[in-house]
Amino acid sequence: MWHLTLHRWTGDREATVQHALEHLDDHLAWMREQQLAGKVLIAGPTPDKELGIMLFGHMSKQDVHELCRTDPFISAGLREYEVIPWEVHHLLGIGAFDTRTVNAMNQAKAHQT
């Protein structure tokens, strides 16, 4: 299962963002480590910097939670996050683009549980 995470500032935004600058190098080093390990596939903020978004590859929801808690922004109490499980069906033109394939994927998933 893939997971999308949404990261929001906690408390007073301006004070939190100012405090976050003290942790930015650590956060970016953490991001690089997770990307090189193949855990965080895509990440970045919204243009207004209100929301951080990360896409995690095949990991359990519990593993995503454990990893997110080690993000310096989160461990310092500057960000809170939400984990959204995501069944990725289409990626770069690869995937289920017809009902026959979607049905086969659903049947295979049902047999796994």
Side-chain angles (χ1 to χ4, degrees):
M1 178 72 60
W2 293 37
H3 294 85
L4 186 72
T5 59
L6 305 177
H7 302 247
R8 294 176 176 84
W9 298 112
T10 60
D12 175 66
R13 184 190 186 280
E14 287 196 28
T16 302
V17 169
Q18 286 301 317
H19 189 59
L21 293 175
E22 299 169 19
H23 296 274
L24 183 58
D25 284 335
D26 292 336
H27 169 73
L28 294 174
W30 180 88
M31 286 297 310
R32 180 171 174 74
E33 180 182 332
Q34 303 319 314
Q35 288 196 341
L36 291 175
K39 296 176 181 178
V40 175
L41 304 178
I42 302 170
T46 55
D48 62 4
K49 310 291 190 263
E50 286 292 324
L51 190 64
I53 303 169
M54 295 183 198
L55 175 62
F56 291 82
H58 264 277
M59 297 174 67
S60 70
K61 189 173 185 177
Q62 181 63 32
D63 288 343
V64 172
H65 277 292
E66 289 176 14
L67 189 58
C68 282
R69 289 184 200 117
T70 67
D71 176 350
F73 280 171
I74 293 169
S75 63
L78 303 171
R79 287 261 196 190
E80 57 189 14
Y81 67 95
E82 173 184 3
V83 177
I84 303 168
W86 189 15
E87 289 186 5
V88 176
H89 291 187
H90 311 101
L91 178 67
L92 301 174
I94 301 168
F97 293 99
D98 58 75
T99 55
R100 189 175 122 215
T101 305
V102 170
N103 289 337
M105 289 172 64
N106 288 336
Q107 286 176 355
K109 183 178 177 183
H111 291 305
Q112 290 175 351
T113 57

